[in-house]
Amino acid sequence: MSGENSSSAKESREKKPGNLDIAEVLRNGGADTLGRQLRLTLSLSLPSVFAQLSTIVMEYIDASMVGSLGAEASASIGIVSTTTWLFWGIGSAIVAGFSVQAAHLIGADKDDSARRIVGQAIFSVGIVAVALGLVGWGISGRLPVWLGGDSSIVPSASSYFRIFSLGLPVLFMNFLAGSLLRCSGNTLIPGILNVTMCVLDVVFNWFLIFPSRDILVMGVGITVPGAGLGVSGAALGTVCAEVVTASLMMYYLLRKSRHLNMRKHLVSFIPRRETLRRALKISLPMGTEHIIMCGAQIFLTIIVAPLGTVAIAANAFAITAESLCYTPGFGVADAATTLVGQTIGAGRRNLTRRFAYITMGMGIGIMTVMGLAMYLAAPMLMEIFTPVQEVRDMGVMALRIEAFAEPMYAASIVAYGVFVGAGDTLVPSMMNLVSIWGVRIPLAAWLAGTMGLKGVWIAMCIELCFRGGIFLWRLLRNRWIHKATNLSHIETKELEQPINYYEL
């Protein structure tokens, strides 16, 4: 009797919304109507969207804290920001190579094989992160000079990037754990922990950026201790927040995850050739694309740098402000990657196509509304970041130009998430590269000479509309889905084979 009660209680728990098993729903026909497909998409998208928005709020607060120190402090971070995106992009690409494999295996009901991917991913991603951290440390002293930064911002910019580089192993582990949880169908925990990281970042920054000071709280004077590290304090505060969040994220992945926990499972952390081959097939095009695209962003920074410190600061603030619009798109793209990856693993081709269309429509709708809001609220957004009126005016101009690109930018973001879930990364990566190097860079170089920063942002708007158009066209052609389904069948069959330790 007690066994029956225990089984009944377990079934009851699993039927609760909070315990929804996405993989089981997709495998067993639980998403057979449009209403259920929409609810499932929303249940995965909303936590990711809120997590992305909370990250942007953190960046807003970071930028406003640093902005209060003056235009030079803002420019110190702005000059190296494109290089930090380069490192982030490499990390995201490497992580995707393993998390997509895990999603396919979970969708095929092969959790033990998925756990093997997790162990190998932790080791592989960790090695790459340490190597990149050492590279970043080595170039930090000269990087701002190479990017054309004024001598007045070189010391603080170098310090910021040096601290960022030291935190890369922690950041990559946070990326990995969050991506694996999302691909297993759990977007809630990564969302909650990313919000927590934002709060911690603000707290750490509060004490690390500013010196000790006296403040009034309800008429009572209080001395707030502070390290007074300025720009370096912003980098250190972010790394401290990442340490706490990555620890909690990895703990949940390895101990609590429904599909990927290792409490009673012994797996090898030594990378297997087949796993690495599959990971490289997914990650290499993405990583190469990120490197070349961030190279383009760095090239754009070089284009903007001669326009002066005010232009650099306005450009950096406008990029941060614009992220409020496009990060919900990345939240929907995360859901698209999970849904597409698991339905491919489950062999449900028609459902894969429907989820691709649903997430595309949702992403475009959300970012269209966000673009309109950004156009109207541009002056208020720029007031958050800086008291310098000239910087504000240039930032408002940039945001209002970019607002027109948001719907098509959404198309490129969500379609890319769909293709990643399918393990199809080579052609989309090439499309991104052709778009930014063939359209944005030539236009920006041409228009900056006559229109200044305005010309750079007009070029960006035109290029994003072009990019969204070609991604939408490829998604609607549906050729990607036939290739992806066949590839998934091969992957799940091969990856479930036991490890031959003598090969290693």
Side-chain angles (χ1 to χ4, degrees):
M1 177 69 76
S2 60
E4 292 177 2
N5 291 338
S6 175
S7 175
S8 176
K10 181 179 180 181
E11 291 177 3
S12 176
R13 285 195 303 272
E14 290 178 347
K15 291 179 181 178
K16 293 180 181 179
N19 290 306
L20 180 67
D21 189 339
I22 303 296
E24 184 177 346
V25 170
L26 295 177
R27 283 195 301 268
N28 299 331
D32 54 351
T33 67
L34 178 60
R36 290 177 179 175
Q37 291 160 14
L38 288 171
R39 286 195 295 271
L40 192 59
T41 303
L42 282 172
S43 71
L44 284 173
S45 298
L46 289 178
S48 291
V49 168
F50 286 125
Q52 294 280 357
L53 287 175
S54 67
T55 301
I56 296 311
V57 170
M58 177 184 72
E59 291 184 5
Y60 272 41
I61 295 172
D62 269 4
S64 64
M65 286 180 168
V66 174
S68 67
L69 302 177
E72 286 190 355
S74 301
S76 298
I77 296 178
I79 197 70
V80 298
S81 61
T82 49
T83 312
T84 62
W85 300 340
L86 169 62
F87 282 63
W88 284 337
I90 293 173
S92 297
I94 295 167
V95 164
F98 295 98
S99 59
V100 169
Q101 292 184 71
H104 287 192
L105 291 165
I106 291 170
D109 198 17
K110 297 170 181 175
D111 289 358
D112 286 340
S113 297
R115 290 187 183 95
R116 294 176 187 167
I117 299 295
V118 174
Q120 296 170 71
I122 291 173
F123 182 87
S124 303
V125 173
I127 291 295
V128 174
V130 171
L132 283 177
L134 292 175
V135 170
W137 175 275
I139 68 173
S140 59
R142 300 294 299 171
L143 180 63
V145 179
W146 295 339
L147 296 175
D150 188 84
S151 59
S152 62
I153 67 173
V154 168
S156 54
S158 295
S159 177
Y160 181 90
F161 190 76
R162 187 176 299 115
I163 295 169
F164 164 82
S165 299
L166 286 176
L168 281 179
V170 175
L171 179 64
F172 279 26
M173 287 299 108
N174 192 35
F175 283 172
L176 177 62
S179 181
L180 287 168
L181 286 173
R182 285 190 293 271
C183 282
S184 74
N186 186 338
T187 59
L188 181 61
I189 294 301
I192 291 173
L193 290 179
N194 280 324
V195 171
T196 302
M197 181 171 68
C198 297
V199 174
L200 290 174
D201 182 61
V202 172
V203 173
F204 285 128
N205 281 354
W206 180 258
F207 292 104
L208 293 173
I209 293 177
F210 306 106
S212 298
R213 61 237 181 248
D214 295 324
I215 62 173
L216 287 177
V217 178
M218 300 179 65
V220 179
I222 298 176
T223 299
V224 179
L229 298 177
V231 171
S232 298
L236 187 58
T238 300
V239 171
C240 290
E242 289 166 355
V243 168
V244 176
T245 307
S247 300
L248 294 173
M249 198 87 77
M250 290 298 297
Y251 172 80
Y252 191 91
L253 172 70
L254 300 179
R255 302 291 296 175
K256 302 292 185 180
S257 171
R258 187 194 302 265
H259 296 283
L260 300 175
N261 79 80
M262 297 185 182
R263 285 174 300 177
K264 298 179 181 179
H265 305 274
L266 183 63
V267 300
S268 171
F269 285 77
I270 302 174
R272 183 181 175 186
R273 283 196 296 270
E274 182 60 35
T275 304
L276 291 178
R277 187 176 71 83
R278 296 292 182 192
L280 282 173
K281 186 172 184 178
I282 297 169
S283 298
L284 192 57
M286 293 179 68
T288 303
E289 172 216 350
H290 281 303
I291 291 171
I292 298 175
M293 287 192 70
C294 284
Q297 295 289 352
I298 292 170
F299 194 85
L300 286 171
T301 302
I302 295 173
I303 292 174
V304 173
L307 302 177
T309 299
V310 171
I312 294 174
N315 187 63
F317 285 140
I319 289 172
T320 301
E322 188 218 352
S323 59
L324 180 66
C325 283
Y326 64 68
T327 46
F330 282 107
V332 176
D334 284 342
T337 299
T338 299
L339 292 167
V340 169
Q342 291 201 11
T343 51
I344 284 174
R348 303 191 64 189
R349 180 185 302 185
N350 290 332
L351 189 57
T352 300
R353 184 184 296 108
R354 288 199 292 273
F355 277 128
Y357 294 165
I358 288 170
T359 52
M360 174 62 73
M362 186 179 296
I364 291 177
I366 291 173
M367 284 183 58
T368 298
V369 173
M370 295 298 288
L372 177 61
M374 182 175 72
Y375 186 93
L376 298 174
M380 290 182 289
L381 291 174
M382 291 307 299
E383 286 179 6
I384 295 173
F385 298 126
T386 176
V388 181
Q389 189 61 45
E390 189 178 0
V391 175
R392 289 180 183 177
D393 292 342
M394 294 182 73
V396 170
M397 171 270 299
L399 291 177
R400 286 184 165 166
I401 292 171
E402 192 70 2
F404 291 96
E406 297 306 314
M408 295 310 293
Y409 191 18
S412 69
I413 291 172
V414 178
Y416 195 86
V418 169
F419 299 147
V420 169
D424 175 24
T425 57
L426 178 59
V427 174
S429 296
M430 293 174 64
M431 291 163 63
N432 274 329
L433 298 180
V434 168
S435 182
I436 196 166
W437 280 99
V439 179
R440 184 185 300 190
I441 295 297
L443 273 178
W446 175 45
L447 296 176
T450 56
M451 303 176 67
L453 188 63
K454 182 178 181 180
V456 174
W457 281 77
I458 289 175
M460 189 184 303
C461 179
I462 292 172
E463 183 270 324
L464 289 176
C465 291
F466 170 78
R467 192 194 309 181
I470 61 176
F471 268 90
L472 187 58
W473 171 76
R474 186 170 192 268
L475 181 78
L476 295 177
R477 289 185 70 199
N478 285 320
R479 288 187 178 181
W480 57 273
I481 198 170
H482 301 291
K483 177 182 176 181
T485 304
N486 293 332
L487 177 62
S488 174
H489 174 73
I490 296 171
E491 283 179 347
T492 54
K493 183 178 180 180
E494 291 179 353
L495 290 173
E496 68 176 336
Q497 299 300 318
I499 295 175
N500 181 352
Y501 289 94
Y502 294 103
E503 289 182 356
L504 304 174

